[in-house]
Amino acid sequence: MTNRPYHHGDLPTALLAQAEQTLRERGAGALSLRELARDTGVSPAAPSRHFKTKQALLDALALTGFERLAETIAASQESAGESFAERLDAAARAYVGFAVANAALLDLMFSAKHSPEASQALGATAHRWSEQLLGLISDGQRRGEVREGPLERVALPVFAALHGFADLTVSGMLPENAAGYGLDDVIASVLRQCRPE
Amino acid sequence: MTNRPYHHGDLPTALLAQAEQTLRERGAGALSLRELARDTGVSPAAPSRHFKTKQALLDALALTGFERLAETIAASQESAGESFAERLDAAARAYVGFAVANAALLDLMFSAKHSPEASQALGATAHRWSEQLLGLISDGQRRGEVREGPLERVALPVFAALHGFADLTVSGMLPENAAGYGLDDVIASVLRQCRPE
DNA sequence: ACCTGAACACCGTTCAAGT
DNA sequence: ACCTGAACACCGTTCAAGT
């Protein structure tokens, strides 16, 4: 362990790592730049060199979230079967699993608070992730297991259903017993809405 | 206009009204109890008599949001047709319309930050609202326009799809052109997943 | 280029004291 | 019961100055 050299080494990464831990353990409200600086062993003004503002750090945090979400879903496809139903099932469980395991982060990722410019960068990364879903559906169409139609237009309702369930779960708006049957039913309903005539 | 009597008259209501205006005009990040107190012509410590903490005020704000959402959806049913398709269409547009018109408030309503106790009160009010949707679907089942099954289990995927689309819209995560066809497609997909075999 | 130290204007919350 | 005034410990952000 270096004993606090003048240059930290990789302050931006250290700040983000610390921020994510605080987010997970104590929620978004407990995130303070000064505390982050203290925990990283650096002066209160140091973070501003790398994140011009607190919101900029939050935006960066959300971005890493989208990246990890994309990886999580990609991983779910590795061990999934071939059929559309199996692949959708795996992706849906991966998404909701990520949401539950990273509730505060998901909140941040889909909050309306992002700066206009950051929203664009986020949109780009979110797009990379949504391509997973698009590929899955496109495959299903080729296999004849998903109805025809423009890819994005078939995909959006699927996306909405999965994200909606994840968000409702995370925000605690689901009835007690919904945890049991909820996800299964959502997946079934997506399959129903996707299947060809 | 009374010239600032010692007792405000109805400080809690005044604070909530001011808070909602600030929320709409400048977002959740700009909400400060001290500023609220200033704008209401009251001392910095006054709000604490009515909202023990800032989070308590935010919870109360979210609660009024759910109440207004319930009213908005109820109103949409007044002028809607009789069929399930027409009534779902009206409710969906009312929901998404509310979401777009009250983006920051919706964010607050479905954020994961609510205190454990407040979540229960919120859940109760949210439940009152979801009953609108349940009634709608129950009606559809009676008319033979919606597939059979336990009401909550048929309703949850519908709820997820509508909320998911509203949330994606509000958080700016939708592709540019999705505004045009998005809602129509989501409604169509919900109808497809609801219809009897 | 990267960071410190000190400063500025602001917070949320508490608590004695006033009406 | 409801509110004020003053205080406390904390913020985010800026900027000269140091390495």
Side-chain angles (χ1 to χ4, degrees):
Chain A
M1 176 188 310
T2 78
N3 40 338
R4 262 183 253 168
Y6 193 81
H7 286 72
H8 176 279
D10 193 355
L11 187 49
T13 304
L15 287 171
L16 285 176
Q18 187 66 48
E20 201 196 317
Q21 186 187 334
T22 307
L23 189 66
R24 182 184 314 280
E25 290 172 0
R26 289 155 55 218
L31 265 184
S32 132
L33 279 181
R34 285 184 104 106
E35 192 181 61
L36 249 34
R38 244 170 298 156
D39 293 349
T40 319
V42 101
S43 93
S48 77
R49 288 285 137 177
H50 308 281
F51 303 102
K52 239 176 301 191
T53 179
K54 185 184 184 180
Q55 185 60 51
L57 187 145
L58 295 180
D59 291 344
L61 210 50
L63 212 136
T64 70
F66 278 113
E67 280 162 0
R68 282 173 39 209
L69 175 54
E71 288 165 19
T72 304
I73 294 189
S76 81
Q77 298 300 295
E78 304 291 338
S79 54
E82 280 190 9
S83 76
F84 175 69
E86 286 171 304
R87 305 226 293 146
L88 178 79
D89 188 273
R93 286 178 204 287
Y95 188 12
V96 174
F98 179 90
V100 169
N102 304 273
L105 182 58
L106 196 92
D107 223 57
L108 208 113
M109 288 159 64
F110 289 96
S111 82
K113 301 190 203 56
H114 301 297
S115 61
E117 334 93 48
S119 274
Q120 192 164 2
L122 280 177
T125 311
H127 182 66
R128 265 184 32 208
W129 147 57
S130 76
E131 270 168 3
Q132 307 256 14
L133 214 55
L134 291 175
L136 200 142
I137 292 173
S138 173
D139 251 43
Q141 287 183 322
R142 265 196 296 275
R143 295 169 61 92
E145 294 171 359
V146 173
R147 66 192 168 82
E148 299 298 321
L151 185 52
E152 335 82 56
R153 297 191 55 179
V154 177
L156 181 51
V158 175
F159 193 13
L162 296 186
H163 174 67
F165 181 76
D167 199 55
L168 289 175
T169 303
V170 161
S171 61
M173 285 297 157
L174 254 36
E176 285 295 331
N177 46 350
Y181 59 78
L183 182 52
D184 289 337
D185 286 355
V186 168
I187 292 173
S189 86
V190 168
L191 289 176
R192 200 157 41 236
Q193 92 192 12
C194 276
R195 78 180 167 211
E197 306 304 306
Chain B
M1 173 188 311
T2 78
N3 40 339
R4 262 183 254 167
Y6 193 80
H7 286 73
H8 176 278
D10 193 355
L11 186 52
T13 305
L15 287 172
L16 284 176
Q18 186 67 47
E20 200 196 318
Q21 187 186 334
T22 306
L23 190 65
R24 182 185 312 281
E25 291 172 358
R26 291 154 53 216
L31 265 184
S32 130
L33 279 181
R34 286 185 104 107
E35 191 181 62
L36 249 35
R38 243 170 302 162
D39 293 349
T40 319
V42 100
S43 93
S48 77
R49 289 284 137 178
H50 308 281
F51 303 102
K52 239 175 301 188
T53 180
K54 185 184 184 181
Q55 185 59 50
L57 187 146
L58 294 180
D59 290 344
L61 210 52
L63 211 136
T64 70
F66 278 113
E67 279 161 1
R68 282 172 40 209
L69 176 55
E71 289 165 19
T72 303
I73 294 188
S76 82
Q77 297 300 294
E78 304 290 339
S79 53
E82 281 189 9
S83 76
F84 175 68
E86 286 172 303
R87 306 226 292 147
L88 177 80
D89 187 273
R93 285 177 205 288
Y95 187 13
V96 175
F98 179 90
V100 170
N102 304 275
L105 182 57
L106 196 91
D107 224 57
L108 210 113
M109 288 160 62
F110 290 95
S111 83
K113 302 188 205 53
H114 303 296
S115 61
E117 335 92 47
S119 274
Q120 191 164 2
L122 279 178
T125 312
H127 183 66
R128 266 183 33 208
W129 147 59
S130 78
E131 272 169 1
Q132 306 258 13
L133 213 57
L134 292 175
L136 200 142
I137 291 173
S138 175
D139 251 43
Q141 288 182 321
R142 267 196 295 276
R143 294 170 61 92
E145 293 170 1
V146 173
R147 66 193 167 84
E148 299 298 322
L151 186 51
E152 334 81 57
R153 297 191 55 179
V154 177
L156 180 52
V158 175
F159 193 13
L162 296 186
H163 174 66
F165 181 76
D167 198 56
L168 289 175
T169 304
V170 160
S171 61
M173 284 297 159
L174 253 37
E176 285 295 332
N177 46 350
Y181 59 78
L183 182 50
D184 289 337
D185 286 354
V186 168
I187 292 173
S189 85
V190 169
L191 289 176
R192 200 159 41 236
Q193 92 191 16
C194 276
R195 78 181 168 212
E197 307 303 307

